[in-house]
Amino acid sequence: ARYFDTKTTEPISFFLSGLEELLAWQPNSNDEFNISAVPLAKRQPPLHSTRPRTLVCHDMRGGYLEDRFIQGSATRNPYVFYHWRYIDIFVYFSHHTVTIPPVVWTNAAHRNGVPVLGTFITEWVDGEKLCEAFLAGGQEAYGAVAEQLAHIAQHYHFDGWLVNIENALSAAAVGNLAPFLRDLTAQVHSAVPGGLVIWYDSVLQDGTLRWQNELNEQNRVYFDACDGLFTNYNWKEEQLQHTRRLAGPRHADVYVGVDVFARGDVIGGGFDTDKSLRLIRQHSLSAAIFAPGWVYEHLGEENFLQNENRFWGLLAEYLPTHSICTLPLATSFSLGMGTSRFLDGKDEESGPWYDLSAQEIQPLYPEHQGRLSTSCCLQDAWCGGSSLRLQGTIPPGEERVAVRLFSLQMPAPPKIFLTLLYKLEGLQPDDFTVALEVTTWDSGTCLEGNPTSLPEPNGRHHPRFLPAPPTGLAKLLAACHRRSHGWTSRCYELELQDCSLRDLSVVVSRQQPSPQETSFSCLLGEVRVLDTASVAASPPQVHSVTASQLWWQ
């Protein structure tokens, strides 16, 4: 019953309750479904840079909802998160003692370069008893708990823990709390590359339970013992100043809590969450956004995607974004949900589905008031459940508008191939052309290898259009210059010398200049950026494939 849903027999993600279950846990052939298969993608800047970070703590209706179904479910209007470019850490929170993040979340986050933490929580009277059992028991007892938690993160391939002790502690127990945190942090660091342990602002060094809403001398001992502090939500600006002073060079390791539900005496919340973030960033501190599922729970499922884009759009100014730093980059923008499943532009199977493991790499979602909006379209897609809709206007007298999809940070290979699948919507789609544009970082040495198209001085490159794929790549780039179900396919090639890639954008241009403003709407079905050299190499052979845990229906 822990590993498989009793109604459907499908594999499910699970939590552990109490100390006995935690200490008794060991790897089991039934839980292989729960192991994340997606390695954490590299991104820039890395997590340990000094710039302030953004943590999202997902707490929804007790957790383990439809997201517990490892192979997906037929859920209508599910909750999804897709603004991964704007955040640094994702925490899956519930009130069970040991919250192991559902593997679908770890897969989606890792594909987008975001580490995932589970939660270890004790609370109320039961929590006091639990802490008494493992903390007052001394080094052997708390060492066993630290070892199990590190082993669980390592086994399921997630990235660490948020530790939340929300009950008072006896003198014997509190004496071992900082040593336990140090031990857990060391074990997680050695078991999980890039692993993290973050402490929630709760118990003080004398064992009292009193939320401080800041870093101070009463909770600093726990901050010093691990990778970061997640503060409570009822802070005022002078507490941010005090925290910044005390944290010193570790200011980015303090995640100032922001409750999107705005419970208690807080600044901001809801669509005013930007007010809290503005203050937090003024003091160069990191932010912990708690329960952004408010958008879904409070405003309802009906216009969720629209409201979600509005919510994150209002915060974008305070959320430094991340760059992709490896190729290939390939995405069909699917959210891991839909009202149909599409393949090659064709609706293959109607009906709702939800599987975050199938979520693809997500782009930036740029918004410019009145000029441009980026959103998800479930009604039509090239592959998966959704496409990316770009809507906007080209101002009078201007010929084009560029929409930045991804920021990039890597040396450019000598030759890259790019592919684009798009569909223009509206009455006169022939009025526009759609193309990809690559920008490079300014450097005196960067040259475009193809002398026929000189780059603009600001590092803009317009890759050369290929009417047919080059030999050897015909299979991979089969879609070059082909129309299917209304989708147009384009392939390009770009040769660069001594360049560093900066941005990938889509450019929508008018065919004819016009003194009027012109509106456009375009769906993007797929974008790929490929390093020619590695694409041409033959893929490694796969040997010894085995299949287990089969259930025929």
Side-chain angles (χ1 to χ4, degrees), residues 15-16 22 56-59 64 90-102 116-123 149 152 158 160-166 184 198 200 230 290:
F15 50 85
L16 302 174
L22 169 59
V56 159
C57 190
H58 172 65
D59 173 24
Y64 301 95
F90 182 86
V91 178
Y92 193 87
F93 182 89
S94 83
H95 289 276
H96 303 289
T97 313
V98 178
T99 297
I100 299 168
V116 176
L117 307 186
T119 307
F120 176 58
I121 188 172
T122 68
E123 48 193 345
L149 290 172
I152 287 170
F158 63 96
W161 296 97
L162 172 68
V163 178
N164 189 352
I165 306 290
E166 295 219 52
L184 174 63
I198 292 176
Y200 181 70
F230 178 152
F290 183 75

Side-chain angles (χ1 to χ4, degrees), residues 103-365:
V103 65
V104 296
W105 281 105
T106 307
N107 287 338
H110 278 187
R111 188 169 287 123
N112 286 281
V114 175
V116 176
L117 307 186
T119 307
F120 176 58
I121 188 172
T122 68
E123 48 193 345
W124 313 108
V125 177
D126 285 349
E128 284 182 39
K129 289 180 189 157
L130 194 149
C131 289
E132 200 59 27
F134 88 92
L135 285 172
Q139 202 278 323
E140 200 178 321
Y142 71 69
V145 168
E147 193 179 342
Q148 280 292 75
L149 290 172
H151 191 183
I152 287 170
Q154 179 189 43
H155 179 70
Y156 295 115
H157 294 185
F158 63 96
D159 306 284
W161 296 97
L162 172 68
V163 178
N164 189 352
I165 306 290
E166 295 219 52
N167 44 258
L169 295 177
S170 69
V174 79
N176 284 325
L177 182 51
F180 161 67
L181 267 185
R182 271 194 295 278
D183 190 12
L184 174 63
T185 305
Q187 299 243 23
V188 165
H189 287 182
S190 93
V192 179
L196 288 172
V197 174
I198 292 176
W199 169 256
Y200 181 70
D201 157 29
S202 49
V203 175
L204 307 182
Q205 62 182 13
D206 65 1
T208 352
L209 174 62
R210 204 163 61 239
W211 298 270
Q212 298 299 289
N213 306 296
E214 65 174 355
L215 172 65
N216 61 27
E217 292 301 346
Q218 299 186 77
N219 60 17
R220 182 182 184 163
V221 58
Y222 307 123
F223 176 62
D224 291 342
C226 68
D227 297 305
L229 168 75
F230 178 152
T231 77
N232 193 44
Y233 314 102
N234 304 306
W235 45 267
K236 295 288 172 273
E237 192 172 4
E238 53 272 20
Q239 289 170 302
L240 299 182
Q241 291 163 349
H242 185 228
T243 296
R244 174 72 180 86
R245 268 200 311 277
L246 197 59
R250 284 190 67 199
H251 57 92
D253 293 338
V254 180
Y255 300 85
V256 180
V258 177
D259 180 3
V260 181
F261 277 84
R263 291 163 281 212
D265 179 15
V266 299
I267 294 165
F271 285 127
D272 290 328
T273 299
D274 59 317
K275 290 178 179 162
S276 351
L277 281 182
R278 184 182 306 122
L279 287 173
I280 292 166
R281 298 307 194 208
Q282 276 169 10
H283 297 282
S284 304
L285 296 166
S286 291
I289 301 174
F290 183 75
W294 169 85
V295 175
Y296 182 84
E297 293 188 65
H298 180 72
L299 301 173
E301 303 167 7
E302 217 37 58
N303 295 314
F304 166 61
L305 295 175
Q306 214 174 324
N307 290 329
E308 181 78 340
N309 287 343
R310 181 183 165 207
F311 177 81
W312 290 98
L314 290 167
L315 303 184
E317 185 185 339
Y318 306 106
L319 304 176
T321 59
H322 294 83
S323 306
I324 285 175
C325 60
T326 52
L327 293 181
L329 163 59
T331 181
S332 67
F333 307 104
S334 182
L335 294 176
M337 60 155 296
T339 50
S340 281
R341 285 179 191 269
F342 293 87
L343 186 62
D344 294 345
K346 181 169 175 267
D347 183 343
E348 292 273 319
E349 192 184 342
S350 284
W353 66 276
Y354 176 46
D355 180 1
L356 286 169
S357 289
Q359 188 183 83
E360 300 251 340
I361 293 173
Q362 292 298 307
L364 296 163
Y365 280 85

Side-chain angles (χ1 to χ4, degrees), residues 518-530:
T518 317
S519 299
F520 65 87
S521 181
C522 172
L523 298 181
L524 298 187
E526 186 183 69
V527 168
R528 294 187 291 180
V529 183
L530 312 169

